[in-house]
Amino acid sequence: KAGVTQTPRYLIKTRGQQVTLSCSPISGHRSVSWYQQTPGQGLQFLFEYFSETQRNKGNFPGRFSGRQFSNSRSEMNVSTLELGDSALYLCASQALDRDRIYNEQFFGPGTRLTVL
Amino acid sequence: GQNIDQPTEMTATEGAIVQINCTYQTSGFNGLFWYQQHAGEAPTFLSYNVLDGLEEKGRFSSFLSRSKGYSYLLLKELQMKDSASYLCAVRPYNDYKLSFGAGTTVTVRA
């Protein structure tokens, strides 16, 4: 199976702009989570989608939003970019197989966003 | 909320053993994960514990004590390729998100 893919891999934007990041989960995985990773804060949970519905949301401002499509692909959007939004944005997909004791998250390579 | 603590950095010699501790305080608990992340790469799954005790997987073992809110990851017979960041993550009960610690950077020296 192909792994989790994210596009683009690198982005440079300026303050005030908006950005859309894309994530394609592993085939058959219906849960997609987004995380922000920075050197100071580590991995911070943004939100999780399942069957096109947001089930969990982290403590991020409303400028951060996301959605999931019927094919489980997901996008996240950040509007009015700030310098502090510079980070690695990671997407993770999960199978949620109830017959398994646990379902680990599989991470994509991330999108490195730099805000100037 | 979740509070997850792990040491920032550890250094060890090739062939040695290193133990990375993780303590957590959570409003609910439904499992603890360990991930490995090499610089510039995505985190990859190492282990999962939900019951007390030791889980062994080759050179890597993970231990959990739920009553103490404590876990450790044990890396044996260290190799240079084990130089990476190791992330402890807790899944609260009935929740699908993971709360991560800041990560422990392990440097293996020759």
Side-chain angles (χ1 to χ4, degrees):
Chain A
K1 276 186 180 177
V4 179
T5 58
Q6 293 187 246
T7 56
R9 294 292 311 278
Y10 301 93
L11 261 182
I12 299 176
K13 292 285 188 178
T14 56
R15 278 181 299 176
Q17 287 187 307
Q18 76 161 22
V19 66
T20 298
L21 312 181
S22 180
C23 170
S24 293
I26 292 172
S27 178
H29 287 192
R30 295 166 63 192
S31 168
V32 174
S33 298
W34 287 90
Y35 295 86
Q36 181 195 66
Q37 187 174 34
T38 58
Q41 298 294 319
L43 265 163
Q44 302 285 313
F45 173 78
L46 280 156
F47 25 67
E48 186 255 354
Y49 286 88
F50 178 78
S51 292
E52 303 178 65
T53 301
Q54 186 184 90
R55 296 194 300 184
N56 291 281
K57 191 176 192 307
N59 296 323
F60 279 82
R63 300 185 297 108
F64 292 81
S65 63
R67 59 178 175 168
Q68 187 181 34
F69 301 94
S70 58
N71 62 357
S72 295
R73 189 178 70 85
S74 178
E75 288 181 348
M76 68 162 281
N77 184 277
V78 188
S79 62
T80 320
L81 283 166
E82 300 177 0
L83 294 178
D85 297 333
S86 293
L88 180 66
Y89 289 88
L90 290 162
C91 161
S93 78
Q94 194 172 13
L96 299 183
D97 182 348
R98 294 182 187 275
D99 292 332
R100 295 188 63 196
I101 295 173
Y102 64 87
N103 289 279
E104 68 271 34
Q105 293 190 356
F106 294 86
F107 285 84
T111 295
R112 173 76 61 187
L113 172 65
T114 302
V115 182
L116 302 175
Chain B
Q2 330 296 332
N3 189 17
I4 302 167
D5 290 316
Q6 49 182 133
T8 305
E9 293 181 341
M10 301 183 76
T11 302
T13 306
E14 201 173 13
I17 298 173
V18 70
Q19 177 174 314
I20 306 169
N21 296 323
C22 171
T23 58
Y24 62 90
Q25 292 174 306
T26 62
S27 53
F29 180 83
N30 195 24
L32 186 144
F33 293 79
W34 283 96
Y35 280 82
Q36 179 192 59
Q37 186 177 24
H38 285 101
E41 297 183 12
T44 55
F45 169 77
L46 287 178
S47 69
Y48 172 77
N49 295 73
V50 69
L51 300 176
D52 290 352
L54 187 68
E55 295 282 341
E56 296 189 80
K57 263 189 181 184
R59 294 189 299 115
F60 293 2
S61 303
S62 57
F63 171 83
L64 176 68
S65 168
R66 288 173 298 171
S67 61
K68 295 181 180 177
Y70 168 70
S71 173
Y72 68 71
L73 180 69
L74 194 69
L75 314 179
K76 294 178 276 189
E77 300 168 21
L78 278 172
Q79 302 175 9
M80 300 300 288
K81 66 178 182 179
D82 297 329
S83 293
S85 180
Y86 291 85
L87 306 168
C88 170
V90 172
R91 192 174 79 189
Y93 184 70
N94 261 353
D95 205 342
Y96 295 103
K97 69 180 184 185
L98 291 179
S99 295
F100 282 85
T104 299
T105 300
V106 172
T107 302
V108 181
R109 297 178 305 190

